[in-house]
Amino acid sequence: MNPIYLDNQATTPLAPEVLDAMLPWLKDGFGNPHSPHVMGRQAAAAVEVARDQVAALLPNGGRVIFTGSATEAINLAMGAARMLQGRNGIAIVDTEHAAVRDTALWYGTQGFETSLIPVDPQGLVLLEELEACLGPRTALVGAMLVNNEIGVVQPVDRITEMAHQAGALMLCDAVQGYGRIDIPQQADLIALSGHKIYGPKGIGALWVRDGIDVPPSIHGGGQEQGVRSGTLSPALCAGLGAAAKLCAERRQEDMQHIVSLAEKAHSLFGDWTVNGSLDQRYPGNLNIRRDGLDVARLMSDVRGVAFSAGSACASGSGRPSHVLAALGLQPAQIKSSIRLGFGRYNTVEEVERVAGLINQAAENQLS
Ligand code: PLP
């Protein structure tokens, strides 16, 4: 039997409607979307429909570039910093995902000055620290919409205003918010990922505001407006497009459902402390801790539930969570934290069952 899946920040199941949208392009519609014949043109048309579906949830006045992942989209976006004469500063929030953080730190070894802007104990960026860091040499500011580990929603509109006042570009990693909450309309570069919105793995996208120069990240046949060469997969594009369309259509319904799951979970995990802001938070994320708990043991005791210790990426790498550390948590508190991620296909009964299993295992450990 499959475990109960409560790890929807790590990835989401494929929506049945998305699979249906993909299948024709994996079967008879196998033409190369860059071929001029009829099969190629049909595949290219499917790609353009998908592009419009993805763009419908993004600001006006920009273009969508398909990539292989959000990580690739973010790497592509950061290249824009290299095109700005006389500017070599990159400022990002300390709690960014590794896709932004490690890329920004790498730029720091390539002639850029990278600054990590601290957050308060709630996980919200310290705006006065950001202000102090910005200046005429800042090229790019990066802030994520919803934090993947703790669900905290950053004030991206305010951060964007500050970046623009300094003449810098604003990159928003919207991976955990796209399709679920409002997208910051003034950002210049926005990254998203298929597999976090009930779409397929292996596809992401970068939205680029018109007039912004993004240098190619992959050279070759000149696909994707010359910046990301390589044959596109019409099936993956159609899947991402269908997933975006479904999110748009179901947005209210999905949000109401997630809120009801979150409310149930908050009531059942009353003995735990929530990590990160309670009000500036996407409700589908519940990151909680119980002092004295050994989460590695908890996870092996509760095998019937797929959940995460901190972030899936951080746990995969064995690195302690830099996000929880940035909140000021001690190593022992970080090791006693778990993340539950609720999604469209979870039920209240599942949340009740999971709470029973996890609370029981925690009691057994702590008593
Ligand atoms: N940014 C955030 C906030 C994420 O949660 C993730 C995935 O965990 C990524 C970026 C990377 O996305 P992808 O798996 O598409 O590279």
Side-chain angles (χ1 to χ4, degrees):
M1 207 173 80
N2 263 353
I4 297 176
Y5 189 76
L6 279 195
D7 202 13
N8 285 276
Q9 276 78 41
T11 195
T12 50
L14 198 69
E17 296 90 335
V18 171
L19 179 62
D20 288 347
M22 293 174 68
L23 283 175
W25 308 106
L26 293 166
K27 291 180 171 171
D28 296 342
F30 59 84
N32 184 326
H34 313 295
S35 297
H37 51 63
V38 67
M39 286 179 70
R41 288 205 309 274
Q42 282 167 350
V47 167
E48 293 318 309
V49 167
R51 203 185 299 281
D52 288 347
Q53 289 169 328
V54 172
L57 280 71
L58 291 163
N60 292 325
R63 59 197 190 278
V64 169
I65 298 165
F66 286 122
T67 60
S69 62
T71 302
E72 189 194 326
I74 288 162
N75 274 264
L76 182 59
M78 285 211 178
R82 289 196 273 124
M83 310 305 278
L84 302 178
Q85 293 290 321
R87 291 178 180 260
N88 72 341
I90 294 182
I92 61 156
V93 182
D94 195 16
T95 49
E96 292 297 296
H97 185 276
V100 169
R101 200 172 189 269
D102 288 12
T103 310
L105 291 173
W106 178 80
Y107 269 94
T109 68
Q110 306 292 312
F112 277 79
E113 274 181 34
T114 297
S115 310
L116 303 176
I117 311 300
V119 296
D120 68 14
Q122 304 301 306
L124 291 160
V125 65
L126 291 169
L127 292 172
E128 61 279 13
E129 299 273 349
L130 176 63
E131 186 72 62
C133 170
L134 298 178
R137 292 186 60 77
T138 312
L140 183 134
V141 176
M144 74 213 298
L145 184 54
V146 176
N147 189 280
N148 53 304
E149 288 193 43
I150 54 175
V152 166
V153 180
Q154 296 291 354
V156 176
D157 284 337
R158 179 71 194 112
I159 298 171
T160 304
E161 242 173 63
M162 292 165 71
H164 285 170
Q165 265 160 20
L169 295 174
M170 179 69 203
L171 164 64
C172 178
D173 169 353
V175 166
Q176 299 283 348
Y178 176 84
R180 287 148 283 182
I181 66 170
D182 287 346
I183 292 294
Q185 295 294 304
Q186 303 308 320
D188 301 302
L189 301 149
I190 300 173
L192 58 106
S193 177
H195 70 106
K196 313 285 184 174
I197 59 162
Y198 313 97
K201 295 171 183 58
I203 185 154
L206 177 68
W207 178 86
V208 183
R209 186 173 294 288
D210 290 340
I212 291 175
D213 199 2
V214 174
S217 61
I218 299 179
H219 301 271
Q223 290 93 344
E224 290 304 87
Q225 305 140 53
V227 299
R228 199 268 184 178
S229 288
T231 303
L232 284 174
S233 159
L236 292 177
C237 294
L240 176 56
K245 179 167 173 274
L246 206 55
C247 281
E249 288 166 357
R250 297 181 47 122
R251 185 165 151 182
Q252 243 190 324
E253 188 188 336
D254 278 353
M255 185 51 104
Q256 273 169 7
H257 179 59
I258 299 290
V259 167
S260 67
L261 298 175
E263 281 172 354
K264 175 57 78 179
H266 279 268
S267 73
L268 295 172
F269 286 99
D271 292 339
W272 299 63
T273 307
V274 177
N275 293 323
S277 170
L278 270 172
D279 28 290
Q280 304 301 313
R281 177 186 212 92
Y282 171 65
N285 177 308
L286 184 61
N287 193 313
I288 46 178
R289 66 175 193 274
R290 244 182 109 167
D291 287 342
L293 203 67
D294 175 352
V295 162
R297 201 179 130 195
L298 185 81
M299 291 185 86
S300 79
D301 288 346
V302 190
R303 296 228 179 106
V305 184
F307 66 107
S308 171
S311 122
C313 316
S315 34
S317 69
R319 283 190 275 176
S321 159
H322 72 278
V323 175
L324 297 178
L327 263 52
L329 296 194
Q330 297 305 308
Q333 295 176 307
I334 295 175
K335 283 196 194 129
S336 69
S337 296
I338 61 170
R339 182 187 66 184
L340 303 175
F342 316 114
R344 181 186 290 163
Y345 303 109
N346 289 123
T347 62
V348 172
E349 293 70 38
E350 283 179 330
V351 172
E352 285 168 347
R353 180 140 174 70
V354 167
L357 291 168
I358 291 181
N359 280 327
Q360 184 61 60
E363 288 305 327
N364 291 348
Q365 253 192 54
L366 297 174
S367 59

